[in-house]
Amino acid sequence: METMKSSLKLVVGIVTYHPSQQTCERIMMLAEKGIPFLVFDNTPGENFWPTAIHPNVIRRGLNLGLGVALKALDEASQQAGYSHMLYFDEDIVFDENTILWIHQWYGHHQPDSRAGLIWFNYHFKGAKAPEKSEAYPIKIAMSACSLINLEAASLIGGHTDRWFLEGIDYDFCFRLVQNGFQLLGVDHCPGIDPFANQPGIFYTDKKGRKRLVRIQPMKRLWNFWYALLDLTWRSLIQGPRNYAYLFFRNIFTYAYDQISAICWTYWIRLWKK
């Protein structure tokens, strides 16, 4: 397959907290394959990472949360001269083919510099050759599996460190849109599995998509609802106002998901008895 010459200078970014053996193996795979990467480790205590990758690991010995970690990765990646960061949560499965496919996709499609974020896990619809997989506009994205334009991130001040965990990706996408950047979705990237390392119950919805059912701690629910209310208010005041509906609706969607998770979890337990 021929691709156009690409200006993409990609680094893989990962945030960890008490990483599993599988997460460590994926990170060591990046090191062995010579794929540029940076890790922000939120695990408290002593540095347990192999000496060979110490230059690639940012540690402060405390759990500072996802917001601080992503902001630090934004800044470190840009300072190191990379144009884009491909971010993965520690529990997202990916492999070398994932990185290669994204490189080839970028080289073929050459997205505009106004593409602030490209989400490669929007709705997986089966693998395709990268030149045949078209990007399309989306309104919001998760951080995980996203290719982040570091120049765009710098212009908007990077990820917020006001919040510990919930709502950080929504806030980042919202500020990109406010500043004229695009959010794009791509459906056919191979090797990504967002469910393999996730605890909970899974089911397939009417559209054939795999869904995760998991009861969240109440503190996490309150934090996410607070973030969504904050984003709703800001979108009403600052615009674009159509995002107010999106954020406010998600308050009820998230509540419904939790009620469903409770029902599914206890029904499954009773059924297994």
Side-chain angles (χ1 to χ4, degrees), residues 20-268:
S20 66
Q21 181 180 346
Q22 292 89 345
T23 299
C24 293
E25 288 172 355
R26 282 193 293 276
I27 291 169
M28 294 310 298
M29 177 274 293
L30 295 173
E32 291 165 4
K33 299 293 183 180
I35 298 170
F37 71 94
L38 286 171
V39 174
F40 190 103
D41 182 37
N42 265 322
T43 308
E46 298 297 323
N47 192 346
F48 56 87
W49 294 95
T51 304
I53 66 168
H54 277 189
N56 302 79
V57 179
I58 303 169
R59 275 184 52 83
R60 295 175 187 168
L62 298 169
N63 182 11
L64 300 173
L66 183 62
V68 170
L70 281 171
K71 192 176 186 70
L73 286 177
D74 292 338
E75 294 170 354
S77 298
Q78 190 170 41
Q79 288 170 7
Y82 295 104
S83 65
H84 291 74
M85 177 175 70
L86 179 61
Y87 174 72
F88 292 104
D89 286 340
E90 64 178 346
D91 51 12
I92 299 290
V93 173
F94 65 92
D95 57 29
E96 184 183 6
N97 290 328
T98 306
I99 314 299
L100 176 61
W101 193 95
I102 290 171
H103 265 289
Q104 292 175 336
W105 183 92
Y106 193 97
H108 181 84
H109 293 278
Q110 296 287 311
D112 187 88
S113 61
R114 302 308 293 176
L117 180 147
I118 305 171
W119 193 15
F120 285 94
N121 190 40
Y122 189 57
H123 288 308
F124 183 69
K125 297 176 181 176
K128 276 187 180 180
E131 70 271 17
K132 295 182 179 179
S133 183
E134 297 292 336
Y136 52 89
I138 58 177
K139 289 185 177 180
I140 209 76
M142 301 294 104
S143 298
C145 312
S146 290
L147 184 67
I148 296 167
N149 179 337
L150 292 170
E151 183 178 358
S154 177
L155 287 171
I156 68 168
H159 285 82
T160 182
D161 55 7
R162 292 194 304 130
W163 300 331
F164 188 81
L165 177 64
E166 302 297 340
I168 292 165
D169 36 19
Y170 280 20
D171 173 86
F172 184 72
C173 289
F174 180 56
R175 286 186 291 117
L176 283 173
V177 171
Q178 282 185 312
N179 285 273
F181 291 100
Q182 296 175 312
L183 309 177
L184 300 175
V186 177
D187 294 333
H188 306 101
C189 184
I192 297 174
D193 188 343
F195 298 113
N197 291 335
Q198 294 277 9
I201 298 170
F202 300 95
Y203 73 96
T204 303
D205 66 15
K206 294 179 180 179
K207 295 182 179 180
R209 293 179 296 196
K210 193 174 183 180
R211 297 292 190 184
L212 170 65
V213 176
R214 181 171 63 200
I215 301 173
Q216 300 288 2
M218 200 64 205
K219 183 178 180 180
R220 188 168 181 177
L221 294 179
W222 285 121
N223 287 342
F224 192 38
W225 285 332
Y226 172 82
L228 288 170
L229 283 171
D230 179 276
L231 288 163
T232 300
W233 178 251
R234 282 161 51 196
S235 56
L236 284 171
I237 300 300
Q238 303 168 3
R241 290 184 176 176
N242 60 321
Y243 272 77
Y245 168 74
L246 174 66
F247 295 135
F248 194 68
R249 182 192 65 186
N250 272 343
I251 295 173
F252 297 97
T253 301
Y254 204 57
Y256 173 80
D257 286 345
Q258 285 306 292
I259 293 170
S260 297
I262 293 169
C263 294
W264 270 87
T265 300
Y266 287 105
W267 183 85
I268 290 291

